[in-house]
Amino acid sequence: MRTSSNPAFRNLPQGGGHAGFGQQQYGQAQPYGQQYGGGYPQQQASGERPITIDDVVTKTAVTLGLTLVTGLVSAWLVLTGAVNPIALTLPGMIIGLVVSLIIIFKKTPSAPLVLTYAAAEGVFLGGITGVFEAFFPGIAWQAILGTFGVFAGMLVVYKTGAIRVTPRLTKWVIGAMVGAGVLMLANLVMGLFGVNLGLRDGGPLAIVFSLVVIGIAAFSFLLDFEAANEMIRSGVPSKWAWWAAFGLMTTLVWLYLEILRLLSYFQND
């Protein structure tokens, strides 16, 4: 079993029915990647160094750090009036979307693509955050703390085995994500025709909907953790840590935006 030099991970419980990085779980159950038609290339086939927990932690930290830096710069430019928010959010959103699709459909992980995605998302999030912060001072830090609070909480839930990632849970989370996406798309389309479904207007239904979406995003972290765990168990090449970082980053971006939106509802009074 591989161990980590990172004390935050090394000291978490492993074994005994709990989810543990680098360790097979659930008896004879098939690995996560194989259960859902995926799977990752084995380390033996490539001859490369196998992935470790430290690889995942390091690559995720680099990716997140780049997003934070570009986000802070973008937010500062918006708050100082140096740049129109649209000039940041629109290009950042488009570039981030295009690069994310390339990463998803590319057969091998790519550090430059993941870092490009992180930088683009930082510009996008920074532009949006600057606008929200201008209207509601202090909301940005609340959203950041809330996002990392949820992330830390779900990591503890995963590592202690309080909630296990099973095929049934995975199908439920994916189904909930699709359902939420359909509702948001319907709300957008109906809004173009002047029909308000109440999902994004700051009312009671909008608050409940945001809480549900935040819950779905939180459970998505469990799938991200399990995917990284399966990579380590399977001994895939270390470059796949960039893929794990990308998965965690996309969930963090989604969660942050939803928490930011929810907090703004309570600022309207």
Side-chain angles (χ1 to χ4, degrees):
M1 179 175 62
R2 301 181 184 89
T3 58
S4 170
S5 61
N6 188 314
F9 285 87
R10 185 177 63 238
N11 295 330
L12 289 173
Q14 301 190 34
H18 299 300
F21 285 106
Q23 182 173 344
Q24 179 63 45
Q25 306 174 57
Y26 319 136
Q28 300 300 319
Q30 288 185 334
Y32 176 85
Q34 295 178 9
Q35 289 174 343
Y36 305 103
Y40 306 101
Q42 294 294 323
Q43 178 265 340
Q44 292 85 350
S46 65
E48 298 181 31
R49 180 177 65 82
I51 189 175
T52 65
I53 299 173
D54 286 335
D55 291 325
V56 176
V57 173
T58 301
K59 302 305 187 294
T60 302
V62 170
T63 304
L64 180 59
L66 180 58
T67 301
L68 287 174
V69 170
T70 54
L72 288 172
V73 172
S74 298
W76 178 79
L77 290 174
V78 171
L79 288 171
T80 57
V83 178
N84 188 308
I86 298 297
L88 295 174
T89 56
L90 188 59
M93 179 181 66
I94 294 175
I95 294 174
L97 176 61
V98 172
V99 174
S100 67
L101 291 175
I102 295 174
I103 293 173
I104 291 171
F105 290 104
K106 198 177 188 319
K107 292 184 178 180
T108 57
S110 170
L113 285 176
V114 173
L115 293 176
T116 300
Y117 168 80
E121 288 301 294
V123 172
F124 168 65
L125 293 177
I128 291 180
T129 300
V131 173
F132 274 82
E133 185 68 18
F135 283 98
F136 314 117
I139 193 174
W141 292 113
Q142 295 174 27
I144 292 173
L145 290 175
T147 300
F148 284 104
V150 172
F151 174 83
M154 296 311 293
L155 179 60
V156 171
V157 166
Y158 179 79
K159 294 298 294 182
T160 58
I163 299 178
R164 293 184 174 183
V165 180
T166 63
R168 183 176 182 179
L169 176 65
T170 301
K171 292 177 182 177
W172 180 89
V173 173
I174 294 175
M177 291 172 61
V178 172
V182 170
L183 286 175
M184 285 187 279
L185 180 61
N187 185 74
L188 176 63
V189 173
M190 296 302 291
L192 297 177
F193 294 94
V195 179
N196 180 21
L197 298 182
L199 298 181
R200 294 303 199 186
D201 62 0
L205 181 59
I207 293 174
V208 172
F209 182 71
S210 279
L211 288 172
V212 170
V213 173
I214 289 171
I216 296 172
F219 272 84
S220 296
F221 279 127
L222 297 180
L223 305 190
D224 295 333
F225 297 149
E226 178 65 10
N229 197 5
E230 173 55 25
M231 291 179 191
I232 296 170
R233 287 198 299 259
S234 300
V236 303
S238 58
K239 64 183 179 181
W240 279 86
W242 288 108
W243 179 266
F246 169 71
L248 288 168
M249 193 67 237
T250 55
T251 306
L252 282 167
V253 169
W254 177 28
L255 178 63
Y256 172 77
L257 287 173
E258 199 59 45
I259 290 179
L260 189 66
R261 180 187 293 273
L262 177 63
L263 290 173
S264 71
Y265 293 157
F266 296 102
Q267 307 291 328
N268 290 328
D269 297 332

